Amino acid sequence: MSVVRIEHVYKDYLLGDQKVQALKDITLAFEPGVFLAIAGPSGSGKTTLLNLIGCIDVPTSGKIYINDMDISGKTPDELADLRNRTIGFIFQTFNLLPVLSAAENVEYPLLQRKDVSPKERKKRVDYFLDIVGLSRYAEHRPNQLSGGQRQRVAIARALAILPSIVLADEPTANLDHKTGEEILSLMKQINRAFNTTFIFSTHDKRVIAKADRLVRVEDGQISILGVRSDAKWSLVRQRKGRSVAAKGTREE
Ligand code: ADP
Ligand code: MG
């Protein structure tokens, strides 16, 4: 089983009458429980790829499967429902609602879920605020929290729906190095404890070093696929549809 499978996906944007090819022929599959970094320079297509996996946007062509379900042809309502049940989001700028407390922010995505009772909502809010170490800050508003604490709230919010996938678009980009490391370590602990798949984008080598799978994108195409076991990366360079093994080499 694959948690995410992407087959020959292209994504074009129209900018005025100009076509921008953001992704070109992406084919990938991941098993549940991976801790995957999507790396690449600014403008390479990382956010576009995350948005497609997160069913926030649809490909121009090609297919995407989430938990082996083909999501092409789904209505916007069906996609929203799939997101609300399956995918947690973490953003570079945290995206918390400023007028809500930490606890209310964590609760927020659960309000759309009619199958989750108020009692269960409260239980999950308490549980996940505890997991991210913020029980004492439940009543604080985002502007009363540090950047690292805000990202912890965002992690708890992403987890509250009990997602099979958490997508994080440059989750450490607005944090200092030490705080970024702590956030990554927390994500990794959660990944290990719950077997939740984490897919995060970054252009920070130190963040990439914490992943166990790597997809490097350049100019909308996959340039390197990597798998890490213990401390060693096996990297496979992708060239014009062919794979060239480069075992044991390191990500530079
Ligand atoms: P990254 O996240 O790696 O910085 P993006 O996925 O945001 O890259 O962007 C990939 C390419 O698509 C870039 O050339 C970018 O300018 C373009 N792009 C992204 N979003 C849009 C959009 N909404 N409209 C037009 N072009 C876009
Ligand atoms: Mg981006």
Side-chain angles (χ1 to χ4, degrees), residues 13 15 20 22 41-48:
Y13 294 111
L15 206 58
V20 180
S42 182
S44 56
K46 302 183 297 296
T47 297
T48 302

Side-chain angles (χ1 to χ4, degrees), residues 180-223:
E181 289 232 308
E182 287 165 8
I183 289 295
L184 247 289
S185 297
L186 176 62
M187 283 169 45
K188 181 92 197 173
Q189 279 167 30
I190 293 163
N191 163 258
R192 292 249 168 94
F194 298 96
N195 204 38
T196 309
T197 302
F198 275 78
I199 303 178
F200 51 94
S201 70
T202 186
H203 50 246
D204 184 340
K205 275 188 205 162
R206 292 176 298 208
V207 173
I208 295 168
K210 291 230 170 6
D212 57 30
R213 293 281 190 290
L214 170 70
V215 173
R216 185 167 175 86
V217 284
E218 277 172 62
D219 198 20
Q221 290 181 303
I222 298 170
S223 59

Side-chain angles (χ1 to χ4, degrees), residues 133-146:
L134 286 184
S135 298
R136 283 174 45 222
Y137 296 85
E139 300 313 318
H140 287 228
R141 298 252 176 104
N143 68 1
Q144 299 169 318
L145 298 170
S146 69

Side-chain angles (χ1 to χ4, degrees), residues 93-102 104-106 108-109 111-112 140-143 153 157:
T93 50
F94 322 130
N95 291 21
L96 302 177
L97 289 163
V99 295
L100 300 185
S101 69
E104 287 166 338
N105 268 286
V106 176
Y108 191 76
L111 297 174
Q112 342 245 335
H140 287 228
R141 298 252 176 104
N143 68 1
V153 175
R157 176 181 60 182

